[in-house]
Amino acid sequence: MDAVSLDTPYLDTDADQLCFSLDLTERPALAERVVPLGGLDVRLRLLGASHQVFAGPVRETVACLRGAVRGLPGTCTRHLPGWDYEFGSTTRRLPPEEFSAEVAQVVGLAADTEHSLCGAFPGLPGAVTAVVVEAVGGPHGAGLVWRTWHTYPQNGQIVSTCSRLEAR
């Protein structure tokens, strides 16, 4: 799926402004896609330079949130009724040439992946948010893995997350 042009100005200034939550309800979305995968209706939602993924019992939000503790955890594990959930994040700062090449790879991956949603911000080349999700097998049954990228071209930062939801 090709990148969706997001009809909003790019506002986030730094990866350090992102927060993580598993407890939030829907935020206003700039783009949304529902994909049936692994027996679940997975909702991929882009919120500016942020995302929400709703899958089964998980309501994952990575966003700039007023009043929330800033910064993403390196890892987070939760045991939910019938499910195990894992989250991980990394932030990298790249020189301009590497940043542009990495963003092109992310956009290409999202375009080539059946279950994805990628948004590009107008007026700032390289400002994208992308989510890709796939079904995976686990020791106890079906599961999902989704990866996201949040890019900050003004300072060459790319935030990558990887989440896994597995039946137990």
Side-chain angles (χ1 to χ4, degrees):
M1 172 179 224
D2 290 333
V4 174
S5 180
L6 300 174
D7 187 24
T8 188
Y10 181 80
L11 296 177
D12 291 342
T13 58
D14 195 270
D16 293 342
Q17 293 181 2
L18 291 173
C19 306
F20 172 76
S21 175
L22 291 173
D23 303 320
L24 294 178
T25 58
E26 288 184 10
R27 298 289 197 224
L30 299 174
E32 180 173 7
R33 183 171 183 212
V34 179
V35 296
L37 197 58
L40 300 172
D41 283 336
V42 182
R43 294 176 61 202
L44 310 176
R45 309 182 80 242
L46 301 184
L47 321 172
S50 315
H51 80 264
Q52 286 185 307
V53 174
F54 295 166
V58 170
R59 291 180 162 295
E60 177 185 285
T61 303
V62 170
C64 297
L65 304 168
R66 287 190 181 153
V69 175
R70 290 183 176 178
L72 299 178
T75 60
C76 174
T77 302
R78 294 271 173 97
H79 302 289
L80 305 165
W83 299 90
D84 287 327
Y85 167 82
E86 295 175 12
F87 171 88
S89 71
T90 59
T91 300
R92 296 178 295 141
R93 188 180 302 267
L94 302 170
E97 312 77 42
E98 289 181 41
F99 177 85
S100 295
E102 182 85 14
V103 170
Q105 281 186 312
V106 166
V107 172
L109 174 66
D112 292 342
T113 302
E114 182 180 0
H115 304 297
S116 66
L117 182 60
C118 181
F121 291 87
L124 190 55
V128 300
T129 301
V131 183
V132 299
V133 61
E134 63 183 341
V136 296
H140 303 291
L144 301 172
V145 170
W146 60 90
R147 293 179 292 159
T148 74
W149 295 267
H150 305 258
T151 66
Y152 298 86
Q154 69 277 19
N155 55 25
Q157 290 178 310
I158 298 179
V159 175
S160 305
T161 72
C162 183
S163 301
R164 183 177 188 96
L165 181 63
E166 190 172 292
R168 59 180 160 101

